[in-house]
Structure formats: C-alpha cells, structure tokens
Amino acid sequence: MDKIPSLIPTLVFIGKMNSGKSSLINALTNQDISIVSNIPGTTTDEVVKRFELLDVGPINIIDTAGLNDESDLGILRVNKTKKAIKRASLLVYVIDSSNEIDLSEYDKLSDEKILVFNKIDLLSNEELDRLKNKYPLALFLSIKDNQSIISFKKKLTKLLQEQDSLLLSNINLKFNKIVHVIPIDSEAPKGRIILPQMQLIRECLDTDLISIVLKESELEDYLATNNDIGLIVTDSQAFKIVSKINNHRFCLTSYSILQANQKGDLNYFIKSINKLKTLTNNAHILLMESCSHNASHEDIGRVKIPRILNNIIGDNYTFDFKMSHDFPDNLATYDYIIHCGSCMLSAKIMDKRIKQAKELNIPMTNYGLIFAYNSGILEEATQMFKKV
Ligand code: SF4
C-alpha cells in the first residue's frame, strides 16, 4: 500500500457497501481486480490496482471498503477509507440507484469528486429521467451497458487531464534553451538522474525547448560562449556556485522551486520563508519527504536542512522527520512545515497538504526555497514568477 508512487493519479472509489463499486472497477479496467458479490461488505479492505487510461497513462485505483461499514472491524476499515481519500486525485462516489438515494456522505466530501449513479439497468425509464433531472452533473451507468462505461472513461480522462500542469507553466522564456545543472556528487544516484531532472528534460522535449545538460563545473565555459539561454535550472544544493557563475545574466531557479510553481503554492511558500526568522524558541518543525530513500551521511532532510535551520534560527528547536504517506493528520503541534520538492506527489495531494497547513495558519515552504534563502538568492531564484 505504501509503495504506490503518488505521482500517478489515484482514483478512490467510495460509497456505501454493495453500491457496486467493485463491479464498476472491474468493468472499467476489464479485469477482475475487485472481489465481487452481492453480499454487502465484500470489499472488506481497500484494494489497490494499477490501470492504464488512454491519454492519461497509468493510474492507481483504490477500491475502498466504504464509509458505512458497521461490522466489528468497521472503524478500522472506515479509517482506512478516510486515509485513501487523502491520497485521491479524484473521488468516484458510487450510488446504487435502485436503492434509496442518500447523499449525506457524498455532500461531506470536500475533495474533487464525481457522482456516479450505478445499476441504472434496474430503473424504469421514468425513474431514470427523474434522477437525471435532479442530478444533471452526475453520471448514470450500468456495467451491462458498455457505452456507459466508455462515457465514464472519457469523463475520468477529461477530469484527470485538467489536473495536469507543467513545471514551466506561467513562465515567460526569452529563449527556448534550458540549461539543466546536475551535480554528479556523492549524493547522485549511481547510473541515473533523479525524477525532477528527468521530468523537466521530458517536458522540454514535449514542448520543443532545447535542453543543455551539464555539471556545475562545466557551466562557466558554456555560459562564456552562449547568449541565448531562457532559463538555468539547478539542483538547489548548487545554488550558490551557479548563481555566482551566472552573475544575474540569465534567469535562474531550481527543480524544487519549479515544483512549487507546478504543484505547490509558490506565493505561500515564499511568504512562509520570510516567517522563518520569526520562529520562537522551542519551535516544533515538520520536515516532510514524499518518498522513502536510503539516507546518506549528507542526507538533505535529516542533515542539511537542520544544518541550515541552525544557521538561520539557532538550534533551539525540535523537528519531526516524516516520509512517504505519513503526513500527520493533526498539524496543530507544528509551528512550521518544510516539504521536499514532492516530485513523486500529485498536485492534488500537495494541494491538500498545503490547505491543511493554511487552515491552521502554519507557514509552509519547501527545500529549494530554504536553500535559495540560505544562499542569499531567494529573490533571484523566484523573480521570474513575479513577472506573471
Ligand atoms: S524526497 Fe521528495 S523531491 Fe526528493 S525524490 Fe523524494 S519525492 Fe522527490
């Protein structure tokens, strides 16, 4: 369960027991993913599967036990369903249209959701028309009608595509050349480059931007003979040296600042940076990374960020280091949140985390902005976003 890469959109099917969620998933995916029977509560634990949706790519599907499980294990299962909801890119709320319509649970869900009336083959034409008139935005399906399943797929595709955004969205580039600065140091994984770097290179290919990939030691020579650079993007840890070499000639930022632009709330993150110095003694800080990876002696979250914090606010603070899906339900004990760039997290999930922080007025920022601030180049590394 914890191994699902969250970058892949996650559809969470939810609804009362026996509303036909599992059969609907099986019809959607054309596979027997979920155990199906007409005994309420057959899906007693959530079932997670990967499925390829044309024009979107791989998606995760979570079939939940439902929110109305009153069996002995019910509370545990309902809690699991609530956890799954937190990870959803999109909630699919399934109703058995042949039963009494109760939308009280659906109405309580604040995440992006789609209402699906299932089993419409059990309704008369008049009953179906009445429902359609009453719920004009809902979908009306029967797993016995392949056409309605195709329409369902189209709707899901549209909604998931609308959630996609680009790392370079809202940035005006003067030239179509992007210089990627990728340090190959002891922290670099052997034989590959990390996901945010890959994502940006792929985005450049998709959007007809030219990528120049080099190490920081090669940058000076390259800049000496090139004047047509739209943007330099560096690993945050090389900010200082790259900024010095660039000397304000070209726009400069980092991968994690681009991620904040793509799926964070860059303005909130920048405002929060300015609140860092106002943290009082004994501040309690949450350091959050969206994936688990082997920690090295120079690990960013466990070693480098605390070192920077010592530099900025002194050492009179405590921090919790959390990974993967362990974003705390209750943030009230924290005074400040520092998140990784979240390359493996979907925009929807990042949105939810930021919303949680904002509701409690807790400043939140990310690694890249902390590095930029500590290197004295926060203004330089974020100025291109202000022109928008
Ligand atoms: S820690 Fe965060 S930014 Fe780094 S690789 Fe994992 S998800 Fe991406």
Side-chain angles (χ1 to χ4, degrees):
M1 187 67 204
D2 282 342
K3 290 186 183 122
I4 297 175
S6 304
L7 181 67
I8 296 172
T10 300
L11 291 181
V12 174
F13 279 65
I14 190 163
K16 288 191 192 304
M17 288 192 286
N18 213 27
S19 56
K21 300 186 289 291
S22 306
S23 336
L24 185 54
I25 290 172
N26 289 348
L28 176 71
T29 57
N30 231 355
Q31 329 164 16
D32 276 346
I33 285 174
S34 296
I35 308 157
V36 177
S37 91
N38 56 7
I39 302 165
T42 304
T43 309
T44 50
D45 281 309
E46 60 183 32
V47 177
V48 186
K49 283 290 169 190
R50 182 71 57 79
F51 162 64
E52 185 96 10
L53 192 59
L54 201 69
D55 295 333
V56 173
I59 57 171
N60 296 314
I61 292 187
I62 303 183
D63 185 7
T64 66
L67 282 165
N68 64 328
D69 187 340
E70 285 163 3
S71 63
D72 287 350
L73 287 172
I75 294 173
L76 274 179
R77 288 177 183 142
V78 168
N79 282 344
K80 271 196 162 184
T81 300
K82 287 181 178 164
K83 276 202 158 185
I85 289 172
K86 278 187 153 189
R87 291 161 49 194
S89 311
L90 181 63
L91 297 176
V92 180
Y93 195 91
V94 184
I95 298 237
D96 176 352
S97 43
S98 66
N99 265 335
E100 194 187 337
I101 308 297
D102 172 9
L103 290 183
S104 51
E105 292 293 351
Y106 173 80
D107 289 339
K108 280 188 221 151
L109 298 168
S110 56
D111 304 85
E112 188 167 353
K113 57 194 176 184
I114 173 172
L115 182 59
V116 171
F117 285 92
N118 194 18
K119 306 186 189 179
I120 58 166
D121 51 294
L122 299 177
L123 300 182
S124 67
N125 288 343
E126 293 72 33
E127 285 169 324
L128 181 57
D129 285 345
R130 195 168 40 78
L131 272 184
K132 283 184 174 175
N133 283 335
K134 194 163 178 193
Y135 304 103
L137 298 178
L139 286 184
F140 298 86
L141 308 178
S142 160
I143 58 165
K144 295 179 181 163
D145 171 16
N146 195 37
Q147 202 49 48
S148 69
I149 300 300
I150 291 170
S151 306
F152 183 35
K153 281 185 189 171
K154 280 187 183 158
K155 182 74 178 175
L156 293 176
T157 302
K158 184 171 177 284
L159 291 172
L160 291 174
Q161 280 178 335
E162 282 168 8
Q163 291 182 359
D164 260 358
S165 66
L166 297 174
L167 284 160
L168 297 173
S169 57
N170 298 329
I171 298 176
N172 291 320
L173 296 169
K174 221 164 150 189
F175 301 102
N176 69 343
K177 192 185 284 178
I178 307 292
V179 173
H180 308 249
V181 182
I182 301 183
I184 302 297
D185 53 18
S186 62
E187 290 290 285
K190 194 169 165 44
R192 63 189 168 88
I193 57 174
I194 59 173
L195 188 58
Q197 297 157 352
M198 282 195 300
Q199 285 172 338
L200 184 60
I201 292 171
R202 174 60 202 251
E203 185 175 314
C204 289
L205 290 168
D206 286 340
T207 54
D208 298 329
L209 293 168
I210 295 165
S211 285
I212 305 295
V213 181
L214 41 72
K215 294 180 281 192
E216 72 278 27
S217 55
E218 298 159 339
L219 183 64
E220 193 163 6
D221 283 350
Y222 186 78
L223 297 192
T225 51
N226 288 276
N227 280 315
D228 56 349
I229 294 162
L231 179 64
I232 300 174
V233 184
T234 180
D235 185 291
S236 305
Q237 297 178 71
F239 253 145
K240 222 173 197 161
I241 180 166
V242 172
S243 168
K244 194 167 169 224
I245 294 168
N246 182 41
N247 196 20
H248 298 277
R249 270 179 74 200
F250 305 109
C251 286
L252 165 67
T253 196
S254 73
Y255 294 97
S256 45
I257 293 178
L258 287 181
Q259 281 162 352
N261 175 48
Q262 177 194 31
K263 55 183 150 187
D265 181 335
L266 189 56
N267 286 335
Y268 191 64
F269 284 8
I270 292 171
K271 270 190 208 149
S272 297
I273 277 284
N274 295 324
K275 290 187 181 158
L276 196 52
K277 277 209 152 168
T278 66
L279 283 180
T280 50
N281 279 346
N282 299 317
H284 190 207
I285 299 176
L286 172 63
L287 296 180
M288 184 73 216
E289 291 195 352
S290 301
C291 70
S292 42
H293 54 247
N294 287 335
S296 74
H297 66 292
E298 277 297 286
D299 192 62
I300 301 182
R302 295 173 181 85
V303 180
K304 289 184 178 167
I305 295 287
R307 199 183 285 151
I308 291 175
L309 288 174
N310 289 350
N311 187 29
I312 300 171
I313 59 170
D315 59 4
N316 200 355
Y317 68 92
T318 53
F319 72 88
D320 288 342
F321 180 81
K322 305 244 178 218
M323 289 190 302
S324 197
H325 297 300
D326 286 340
F327 194 74
D329 288 333
N330 181 10
L331 294 178
T333 63
Y334 296 105
D335 299 298
Y336 203 91
I337 299 167
I338 306 174
H339 208 291
C340 74
S342 70
C343 66
M344 296 201 192
L345 215 58
S346 72
K348 273 280 150 195
I349 296 173
M350 197 60 191
D351 267 0
K352 288 181 197 178
R353 293 183 175 185
I354 296 167
K355 202 168 152 212
Q356 253 182 282
K358 278 181 163 176
E359 275 166 4
L360 293 173
N361 229 352
I362 302 171
M364 177 169 176
T365 194
N366 84 2
Y367 285 4
L369 289 151
I370 292 270
F371 273 101
Y373 180 74
N374 192 50
S375 307
I377 58 161
L378 182 63
E379 179 66 26
E380 179 185 2
T382 55
Q383 65 182 355
M384 79 206 69
F385 303 99
K386 292 180 188 159
K387 289 178 200 154
V388 180

